[in-house]
């Protein structure tokens, strides 16, 4: 039986997190969907566990870097979803997230910040309901509250405007991202997207400055570093481009486009064997994505692999 998956909208409803925040977290490589269906990113149940853990920790004031480290092994520890979940909990001991089988003895050092049962999360995921629904008082307060546009709201609107395409869409998106930054100067992804807009209008210097601003705020943001590496590749500095693409893959080892572009840079430097290995990794990551764009890039990767084989 195929494992259930959840869209951004579905995960937002289940976890009671704004969809714009979920998309932002995914864009900056913090936490997000790990699977694809019909070419679109979707959340697995393990992803829901990671996102819920991230929400709990951010609510308690932990920084993104600390949470990234804590989440590194949680997916490895999580038993298969077919295992009875009423006995399973996730706990954080101040240093790492662990999966706890309540039928066994468990000791931890440090102060436990939180732990939560997965049975409730599984039930909510199956029903499409939020975890821990608000009580009457909270619901009434939410209903009476006047809507206030947050930095995430402006960021989300910017992504929609940008997706509409063309100079007009970019101009509208740029305005939205600037408004987002006025409300939250630490919104690194807004700088990343402003860099993309600057690059499309031919301003490489401003694009690079925007990507560097994003990385100053969040050095582990894979998308900003990937875009910066592409600019460096375009400038012809192959060795620096290779170094930056490698840094991308250190943070996000499953970043398919990072493998492809690193392979291109390596091939130009004469590193045929390494280039081929990264192209093969790219193809393994893109397996199952049957969209026309993905198929075109996969065909180009196969062509380059064949060319590398002939040259060796």
């Amino acid at each position: 039986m195929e494992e259930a998956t959840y869209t951004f909208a579905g995960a937002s409803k289940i976890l009671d997190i704004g969809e714009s925040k979920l998309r932002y977290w995914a864009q900056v490589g913090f936490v997000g969907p790990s699977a694809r269906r019909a070419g679109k990113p979707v959340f697995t149940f393990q992803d829901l566990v990671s996102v819920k853990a991230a929400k709990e920790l951010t609510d308690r004031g932990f920084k993104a870097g600390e949470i990234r480290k804590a989440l590194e092994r949680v997916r490895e520890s999580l038993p298969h979803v077919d295992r009875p979940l009423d006995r399973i909990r996730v706990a954080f001991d101040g240093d790492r997230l662990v999966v706890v089988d309540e039928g066994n003895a468990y000791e931890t050092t440090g102060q436990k910040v939180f732990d939560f049962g997965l049975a409730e999360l599984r039930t909510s995921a199956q029903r499409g309901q939020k975890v821990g629904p608000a009580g009457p008082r909270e619901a009434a307060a939410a209903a009476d509250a006047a809507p206030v546009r947050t930095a995430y709201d402006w960021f989300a609107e910017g992504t929609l405007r940008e997706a509409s395409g063309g100079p007009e869409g970019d101009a509208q998106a740029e305005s939205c991202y600037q408004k987002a930054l006025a409300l939250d100067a630490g919104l690194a992804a807004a700088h990343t997207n402003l860099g993309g807009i600057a690059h499309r209008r031919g301003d490489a210097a401003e694009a690079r400055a925007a990507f560097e601003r994003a990385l100053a705020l969040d050095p582990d943001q894979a998308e900003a570093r990937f875009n910066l590496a592409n600019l460096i590749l375009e400038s012809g500095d192959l060795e620096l481009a290779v170094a930056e693409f490698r840094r991308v893959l250190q943070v996000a080892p499953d970043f398919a486009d990072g493998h492809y572009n690193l392979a291109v840079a390596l091939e130009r430097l004469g590193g045929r064997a390494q280039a081929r290995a990264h192209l093969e990794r790219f193809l393994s990551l893109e397996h199952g994505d049957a969209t026309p764009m993905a198929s075109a890039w996969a065909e180009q990767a196969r062509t380059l692999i064949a060319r590398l084989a002939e040259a060796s």
Side-chain angles (χ1 to χ4, degrees):
M1 181 177 178
E2 188 176 19
E3 181 182 358
T5 56
Y6 312 89
T7 63
F8 275 97
S12 172
K13 181 179 179 182
I14 292 164
L15 296 169
D16 194 22
I17 302 175
E19 185 175 345
S20 60
K21 179 169 286 191
L22 276 181
R23 290 186 179 278
Y24 169 71
W25 280 357
Q27 178 178 352
V28 301
F30 176 39
V31 65
S34 65
R36 296 179 76 85
R37 293 288 183 273
K40 296 182 179 180
V42 289
F43 294 81
T44 64
F45 180 72
Q46 286 91 339
D47 294 334
L48 296 185
V49 173
S50 295
V51 175
K52 179 165 174 58
K55 179 177 185 290
E56 295 278 355
L57 290 172
T58 53
D59 288 347
R60 285 160 174 77
F62 285 86
K63 296 179 180 178
E66 296 173 312
I67 299 172
R68 278 195 185 100
K69 292 178 181 178
L71 290 172
E72 282 177 357
R73 297 189 62 186
V74 72
R75 286 180 60 84
E76 299 174 8
S77 302
L78 185 65
H80 190 275
V81 293
D82 288 342
R83 184 171 177 173
L85 292 169
D86 56 350
R87 295 175 44 149
I88 303 298
R89 303 184 74 80
V90 171
F92 182 69
D93 68 358
D95 178 57
R96 66 192 190 283
L97 283 167
V98 293
V99 175
V100 183
D101 185 336
E102 294 182 337
N104 297 323
Y106 175 75
E107 294 181 359
T108 181
T109 59
Q111 182 178 1
K112 186 181 293 183
V113 177
F114 77 91
D115 80 58
F116 60 87
L118 302 187
E120 177 193 10
L121 179 57
R122 167 56 79 185
T123 300
S124 299
Q126 289 172 338
R127 295 178 179 175
Q129 299 171 340
K130 70 172 65 174
V131 179
R137 183 178 299 176
E138 291 81 3
D144 293 338
V148 177
R149 301 205 75 174
T150 66
Y152 291 112
D153 293 333
W154 283 116
F155 175 83
E157 182 172 336
T159 61
L160 291 174
R161 300 288 184 180
E162 193 174 352
S164 68
E168 183 178 355
D170 278 353
Q172 294 171 341
E174 188 171 14
S175 175
C176 291
Y177 295 141
Q178 295 290 4
K179 289 175 181 177
L181 288 168
L183 292 171
D184 182 356
L187 198 58
H191 286 296
T192 302
N193 291 7
L194 286 170
I197 292 171
H199 184 257
R200 283 194 293 276
R201 67 169 176 252
D203 192 342
E206 174 53 32
R208 182 164 183 164
F211 298 143
E212 289 174 344
R213 284 192 291 270
L215 290 168
L217 291 166
D218 185 1
D220 290 336
Q221 190 193 128
E223 184 170 349
R225 194 166 299 282
F226 175 75
N227 291 340
L228 177 61
N230 284 332
L231 281 179
I232 295 170
L233 181 61
E234 289 174 7
S235 75
D237 191 340
L238 296 177
E239 291 185 356
L240 182 56
V242 165
E244 290 296 333
F245 283 127
R246 290 194 189 281
R247 292 184 70 181
V248 170
L249 296 174
Q250 285 175 356
V251 175
D254 292 339
F255 195 151
D257 289 348
H259 285 283
Y260 186 95
N261 287 18
L262 175 56
V264 169
L266 286 167
E267 189 267 342
R268 293 179 186 175
L269 278 173
R272 297 189 183 94
Q274 291 185 55
R276 181 171 180 172
H278 284 286
L279 288 168
E280 290 172 347
R281 179 62 176 148
F282 167 79
L283 289 173
S284 71
L285 290 168
E286 289 293 284
H287 177 70
D289 187 349
T291 59
M293 181 65 72
S295 298
W297 282 108
E299 186 58 34
Q300 288 190 42
R302 294 187 187 96
T303 300
L304 184 50
I305 287 174
R307 193 171 78 212
L308 290 169
E310 291 175 359
S312 59

